[in-house]
Amino acid sequence: MGVIDFLWNGFLVALQPDNLLFAFIGVLIGTAVGVLPGIGPMSGVALLIPITATLTSGASAEEAASSAIILLAGVYYGAMYGGSTTSILLNTPGESSSVVTTLDGYQMAKQGRAGSALSIAAIGSFVAGIVALIGLIFLAQPLSEIAIKFGPAEYFSLMLLGLCAVSSFAGKSMTKSLIATVIGLLLATIGMDNVSGVARFTFNTPVLYQGLEFLTVAVGIFALGEVFSTILQKNKEEQAIAKVGRVFPTKQDLKDSAAPIARGSIIGFFIGVLPGAGAILASFFSYIAEKKWSKNPDSFGKGNIAGVAGPESANNAASGGGMVPMLTLGIPGGGTTAILMGALIMYNVQPGPLLFEEHPQVAWGLIASMFIGNLMLLILNMPLVKIFAKIIETPIKYLTPIIIAISVFGVYAVQVETFDLYLLIFCGLLGYFFAKHDYPLAPLVLSLVLGPMIENNLRRALTGSDGDWSIFVTHPISLGFLIVSALWLLIPIILKLRGKKVIINDES
Amino acid sequence: MSSRRTDRITAVILVLVGAFFVIQSRSFASASYGSGVGPDLFPIILGIALILLSIRLFYETFHYQDEKQEREDLDWKRFSIIVGSLLLYVMTLEIIGYILSTFLFLVIAIQTMERGGWLKTLLVSAGFSIGIYYLYVQILEGTLPPLPIIGW
């Protein structure tokens, strides 16, 4: 079967009425998550894992997995659309990849061009989503075919590369992000060891034999952690929201943004594919590129539509690009994709090179649903942008307690165990503490997901080589990955020593 | 935002955590088969890495610039009330049932966030707890702890 056949089958999955509904719910909630300042894409996706688990409980494993991932991915890219809304109307980014959008977006709103800015952001996001999908379709198969030849040594080194990349970009202090990574890996070792059957760090408590449930940890660290920090901050004064005005862009606006959208989509996709980079860097680079290529760079920061169109396309393309390493290699490049991967593993669907062979329904169903989801988002965002702007006004005093209640409900519904609720609260406190003191959360969750696989591959490789560690450097591909990992950690240090400012990618 | 003192305390705690993992791992029956690649290998490496990184963190605190005494005004009272009632909520969930415990938690939490607006608070709390229970238990046929006696 060729790519077209697979894609066709994917559409058959995605177009099933319940999956259409799931995609719709996903993008709708995603947009809301993007709009609401207190909650980012990572916590949004984490919060919805238990909800999707309950919604899909009746279906077969394969169907449940495809429906769940369709919904959760919808939240992810939907948040990229929604994030621009608050940047433009309020000058506060709803999620951090829309930070640069505030520069020109808010200026446009002040000039009464908020509607144009919003609709260009939506159109740009749509085009970028489609570009990213086409890239995903063409890269997925060849990448899987390469990866399938990897042995355990190559896999171990590749995962190490993923962890190093994410740690080196995240947070202000590399020591702290490496600490976060190691803590995540350590937490992953709790529970029964799959190979030897030895119970590790369980203190003979039966609830711990299964290990810490990923879902509980993710919801606690992200959703509760963010909520706790909102509670601690004193109520802020309400900000005035700019009027939306005329929703559709003028012909001139469209003409001015066509090229930035195209460039942003391509830049964004490739940055998204790289591990560790992601949507924030993508939007940042796109902004710099637009400013550089512009005929009058001085107009940036004063309401130039290219400053909205480029970055908004780039962050959406990057979220699509981020799916590539997760689906094909089984190595998420960032926090949100790590959570998506954790969700897939919950359904016994292992992302990686075999995904397209073993679960074509899930992989291609997801890809096809992203086409549909992006279309839904465009339709939702153009006429309904005024309604979404209203969500910003949701009073925080209701929102915060309800997010807590949803976390408790979600975790209890799936686990049916009060132990997990205590763990949830503990992880919330931990998440708050970490975020507050600059320990990035993305590496932590990534290593929590990758931990069991890294260990497994390490042990398989060492068992195969009779405990000889040189296996990791004598295999050329593995050696290559290790060198790149080392570079990834060393280059920021060298740059810092030379006094350069290092861009960080703070996803939460 | 990282303060020297917090980072030092954290570093010390993390050294202990790392040591704990290393020591615990050594008690696993290592080398359960052949090559000595047992269940203890990975946690021991990680424990040592954590210890080294924490020492590095401790060392780094000596290079922090003297921070301005800019204390953040955080609402610890509000935070403790909500986290406290969350703990109570979790403890009572299986005793007094989902609807009642959720309702009480929401009322307390919303009022702690901002006083006043009682009617709306009661409506939101009741709507959420009953709505979720009804949706999940009646329509999706899941289980949540019911109210005692009434069994709902």
Side-chain angles (χ1 to χ4, degrees), chain A residues 168-232:
Chain A
S168 87
F169 270 117
K172 290 177 191 143
S173 140
M174 195 189 287
T175 313
K176 286 185 175 177
S177 51
L178 287 174
I179 288 179
T181 308
V182 174
I183 291 179
L185 291 172
L186 273 176
L187 290 179
T189 63
I190 295 174
M192 191 83 84
D193 172 34
N194 282 335
V195 184
S196 62
V198 173
R200 296 189 293 186
F201 318 113
T202 56
F203 311 104
N204 296 322
T205 6
V207 268
L208 281 177
Y209 286 163
Q210 289 294 312
L212 300 182
E213 179 59 43
F214 172 74
L215 163 114
T216 313
V217 179
V219 174
I221 284 190
F222 294 110
L224 271 196
E226 271 184 19
V227 164
F228 286 165
S229 113
T230 318
I231 295 172
L232 273 167

Side-chain angles (χ1 to χ4, degrees), chain B residues 120-145:
Chain B
K120 224 173 154 187
T121 303
L122 294 175
L123 282 178
V124 169
S125 310
F128 182 87
S129 45
I130 297 172
I132 291 279
Y133 190 88
Y134 178 77
L135 262 177
Y136 187 63
V137 175
Q138 304 292 322
I139 295 180
L140 292 168
E141 295 178 352
T143 26
L144 285 173

Side-chain angles (χ1 to χ4, degrees), chain A residues 154-490:
Chain A
E154 282 80 10
Y155 251 105
F156 171 77
S157 307
L158 180 60
M159 288 181 194
L160 207 62
L161 167 65
L163 286 183
C164 289
V166 172
S167 313
S168 87
F169 270 117
K172 290 177 191 143
S173 140
M174 195 189 287
T175 313
K176 286 185 175 177
S177 51
L178 287 174
I179 288 179
T181 308
V182 174
I183 291 179
L185 291 172
L186 273 176
L187 290 179
T189 63
I190 295 174
M192 191 83 84
D193 172 34
N194 282 335
V195 184
S196 62
V198 173
R200 296 189 293 186
F201 318 113
T202 56
F203 311 104
N204 296 322
T205 6
V207 268
L208 281 177
Y209 286 163
Q210 289 294 312
L212 300 182
E213 179 59 43
F214 172 74
L215 163 114
T216 313
V217 179
V219 174
I221 284 190
F222 294 110
L224 271 196
E226 271 184 19
V227 164
F228 286 165
S229 113
T230 318
I231 295 172
L232 273 167
Q233 265 144 31
K234 296 249 157 85
N235 291 345
K236 281 184 229 138
E237 276 172 52
E238 300 276 312
Q239 272 174 290
I241 298 171
K243 283 231 164 61
V244 174
R246 181 196 140 96
V247 172
F248 288 91
T250 60
K251 271 218 176 89
Q252 187 60 39
D253 286 339
L254 281 173
K255 227 178 106 192
D256 290 343
S257 21
I261 289 176
R263 284 192 289 257
S265 307
I266 293 166
I267 295 176
F269 175 73
F270 285 105
I271 292 182
V273 173
L274 289 178
I280 299 154
L281 280 187
S283 56
F284 198 80
F285 274 121
S286 160
Y287 191 82
I288 297 174
E290 288 314 321
K291 206 168 167 181
K292 217 164 233 171
W293 276 321
S294 166
K295 283 183 200 120
N296 42 347
D298 290 340
S299 64
F300 278 83
K302 292 175 189 145
N304 190 326
I305 198 159
V308 174
E312 276 304 315
S313 315
N315 71 28
N316 213 286
S319 72
M323 296 285 192
V324 174
M326 192 269 273
L327 291 175
T328 59
L329 306 176
I331 301 193
T336 319
T337 38
I339 296 178
L340 286 176
M341 178 159 155
L344 280 177
I345 295 174
M346 273 180 57
Y347 287 96
N348 278 327
V349 172
Q350 178 69 49
L354 291 174
L355 178 74
F356 286 83
E357 233 169 78
E358 285 173 358
H359 306 279
Q361 199 194 354
V362 179
W364 291 100
L366 170 64
I367 292 175
S369 88
M370 286 171 74
F371 268 113
I372 298 165
N374 271 296
L375 195 63
M376 286 177 180
L377 277 166
L378 183 67
I379 298 167
L380 272 176
N381 273 271
M382 296 288 277
L384 295 183
V385 77
K386 288 184 185 177
I387 297 172
F388 280 121
K390 283 260 183 275
I391 300 180
I392 307 171
E393 294 166 27
T394 313
I396 212 122
K397 66 167 176 170
Y398 296 118
L399 191 66
T400 333
I402 283 178
I403 292 177
I404 301 179
I406 292 177
S407 315
V408 170
F409 162 72
V411 167
Y412 189 84
V414 175
Q415 296 296 107
V416 204
E417 187 78 68
T418 24
F419 168 80
D420 276 84
L421 295 179
Y422 292 113
L423 179 64
L424 174 78
I425 300 175
F426 175 76
C427 288
L429 296 172
L430 195 72
Y432 167 72
F433 178 83
F434 275 6
K436 168 92 183 165
H437 295 286
D438 299 328
Y439 296 86
L441 300 173
L444 196 153
V445 71
L446 181 65
S447 55
L448 190 64
V449 173
L450 287 184
M453 281 171 271
I454 292 187
E455 178 173 20
N456 200 351
N457 281 299
L458 171 75
R459 283 160 76 174
R460 275 175 53 206
L462 284 178
T463 310
S465 72
D466 269 333
D468 184 0
W469 287 80
S470 67
I471 181 168
F472 297 109
V473 287
T474 48
H475 284 212
I477 297 176
S478 164
L479 178 66
F481 288 146
L482 288 179
I483 292 173
V484 178
S485 328
L487 286 179
W488 223 295
L489 291 183
L490 289 175

Side-chain angles (χ1 to χ4, degrees), chain B residues 58-104:
Chain B
F58 197 87
Y59 168 75
E60 278 175 11
T61 58
F62 290 103
H63 298 280
Y64 285 178
Q65 260 123 36
D66 274 320
E67 43 207 288
K68 285 165 261 163
Q69 282 303 315
E70 186 189 309
R71 295 218 72 193
E72 243 186 314
D73 195 13
L74 294 176
D75 201 337
W76 286 105
K77 192 180 148 203
R78 182 157 94 174
F79 177 76
S80 354
I81 296 177
I82 293 182
V83 174
S85 50
L86 175 60
L87 265 175
L88 275 176
Y89 172 28
V90 169
M91 282 190 262
T92 53
L93 176 67
E94 287 184 342
I95 303 165
I96 60 171
Y98 181 79
I99 295 180
L100 194 57
S101 56
T102 308
F103 173 76
L104 291 175

